[in-house]
Amino acid sequence: MSDTRPSSLPRNATLYRVDSAHFFDGDGDGQGDLAGVLRQLDYFGRLGVDGLVLSRDDRHGIPEVQWQAFAIRLRQAGLSLWLAENRHFRAWPEGEVLPLCTLVDHGPIGLTHWLEKRAQGGQAVWATGGPDLTRVVSRCGGGDLKVALPYLALLACLPGPIGLWQGEELGLPHAAEPGDTRGNRSPLPWVEYPEQSPVAQQPMQRRVATEHRAMAVSRQEQEPESPLNQCRRLLQWRRRQPLVANGRIAATGLHDGLLWVQLAGAQPSLTVVLNLLPYRQQHRLAQLPNGWQTELILGQAELSDDHQLNLGGFAAAIVTPKVQE
């Protein structure tokens, strides 16, 4: 049974679910480990996450002193520590439990139902991916890598804690047949070619899935519009947006592949519009006396003077009412 007390986790928090065995090799034995997680604390800081979620397998066999030292290092870096337990995340060491609500069915009915559950409130961590699911790019976009953007934007705009599964920030596709969980277990691609990494990390980087090499962290760092840099912008926006921390979902809609979510609260409302299809679409906004303004654009999107959003394939836009000067 989950804890019904108010959560100590901020409502705009982002948790990053780590598969440490396939994240980073910190001791040069060819396998990912907790030392590798600590070696990449700067990565989590630049990404903008607030805590890490590890599995019971990561905890198993680790001496208590070593585990406590690991937790202290995370806390010093501003990261909370959580353990995944079935369909819940448990805080360590406090023991607070939050249920996990993952988008499994990406069809219109499943997506709408998932958003309706979020709008009804309740304590949960909201996610679009996980170790037992086909990666969201392959599950929801037929392998079109650009679909990562609207789903990242969807997560980022939700009031309440969210969970990123390792590699979602890179927009990685599934590296196996749909339903084969090994497609989630390819080592994270830190470099495009194994030879670009230090000798100690090369054995693990040689096991990176072929389809993931061109999406390596080192390459995406250099591309301003890469999924990684777009994700960083979204999570920065999420941290400073009051409606994510204190607002609620006031309305949602889904029609012909266009999804919109309206947040309301003490501040002026905002609307997130997502194009879930690969071709250009238009979305007409409500007529307001002062019109609308864009707060964040992902992909190709523009706002015309007649309250109309023009969105390219898999683009996303966050708009707010203009305030009278």
Side-chain angles (χ1 to χ4, degrees):
M1 182 177 294
S2 60
D3 197 334
T4 57
R5 294 171 299 176
S7 174
S8 61
L9 192 66
R11 293 181 77 237
N12 61 349
T14 301
L15 301 179
Y16 187 95
R17 193 168 181 179
V18 180
D19 175 16
S20 68
H22 302 93
F23 183 70
F24 191 85
D25 180 5
D27 58 14
D29 67 353
Q31 300 292 329
D33 43 43
L34 297 186
V37 174
L38 294 179
R39 288 273 297 272
Q40 295 297 336
L41 289 179
D42 285 347
Y43 179 77
F44 300 122
R46 294 195 305 274
L47 186 57
V49 300
D50 304 286
L52 301 186
V53 182
L54 282 80
S55 71
R56 284 291 176 184
D57 290 339
D58 296 311
R59 177 71 177 89
H60 181 71
I62 303 296
E64 185 65 22
V65 172
Q66 183 180 344
W67 182 256
Q68 289 186 12
F70 174 75
I72 290 172
R73 287 285 304 278
L74 294 187
R75 188 161 58 247
Q76 290 172 342
L79 297 169
S80 57
L81 176 58
W82 298 72
L83 290 175
E85 298 180 343
N86 297 320
R87 305 295 299 170
H88 298 79
F89 290 166
R90 180 183 294 274
W92 193 93
E94 296 85 359
E96 176 186 356
V97 177
L98 288 176
L100 175 64
C101 188
T102 305
L103 173 65
V104 177
D105 177 9
H106 69 278
I109 294 177
L111 186 55
T112 302
H113 178 66
W114 186 69
L115 283 171
E116 286 175 349
K117 287 179 65 177
R118 173 74 286 269
Q120 292 167 5
Q123 299 173 36
V125 177
W126 302 85
T128 56
D132 299 324
L133 291 174
T134 299
R135 284 195 177 275
V136 69
V137 167
S138 301
R139 191 169 84 245
C140 303
D144 192 320
L145 303 181
K146 293 180 181 178
V147 78
L149 295 183
Y151 279 93
L152 286 171
L154 173 61
L155 262 187
C157 79
L158 294 179
I162 62 171
L164 273 181
W165 167 242
Q166 177 175 304
E168 281 188 304
E169 76 278 15
L170 302 177
L172 298 181
H174 204 64
E177 292 297 318
D180 186 343
T181 58
R182 290 176 297 179
N184 259 330
R185 302 293 183 177
S186 174
L188 200 72
W190 292 98
V191 293
E192 197 166 355
Y193 303 103
E195 297 74 18
Q196 295 173 326
S197 60
V199 174
Q201 275 78 54
Q202 289 183 16
M204 186 169 171
Q205 286 299 293
R206 289 192 184 99
R207 301 200 308 274
V208 168
T210 302
E211 53 266 59
H212 291 175
R213 293 196 180 280
M215 307 185 73
V217 173
S218 61
R219 182 168 179 172
Q220 294 204 32
E221 292 269 10
Q222 307 304 317
E223 300 173 357
E225 301 303 313
S226 68
L228 175 59
N229 284 318
Q230 299 274 35
C231 185
R232 287 171 174 169
R233 281 194 284 273
L234 277 166
L235 296 186
Q236 289 168 3
W237 169 84
R238 175 177 168 80
R239 275 183 168 175
R240 65 175 183 265
Q241 175 49 248
L243 287 177
V244 174
N246 304 307
R248 58 182 174 81
I249 295 179
T252 65
L254 178 63
H255 181 69
D256 290 340
L258 273 178
L259 172 68
W260 61 96
V261 179
Q262 184 185 51
L263 303 187
Q267 294 78 21
S269 67
L270 67 82
T271 301
V272 183
V273 185
L274 314 169
N275 185 0
L276 304 180
L277 295 177
Y279 49 81
R280 179 172 290 275
Q281 297 203 77
Q282 297 178 339
H283 176 73
R284 192 160 188 83
L285 299 161
Q287 292 281 343
L288 296 178
N290 299 314
W292 296 80
Q293 60 188 1
T294 57
E295 187 162 309
L296 192 63
I297 293 289
L298 294 163
Q300 297 181 348
E302 58 184 15
L303 177 63
S304 63
D305 292 336
D306 59 353
H307 301 79
Q308 184 167 281
L309 265 176
N310 301 301
L311 296 105
F314 299 127
I318 301 174
V319 297
T320 58
K322 277 186 179 179
V323 178
Q324 188 173 7
E325 297 180 357

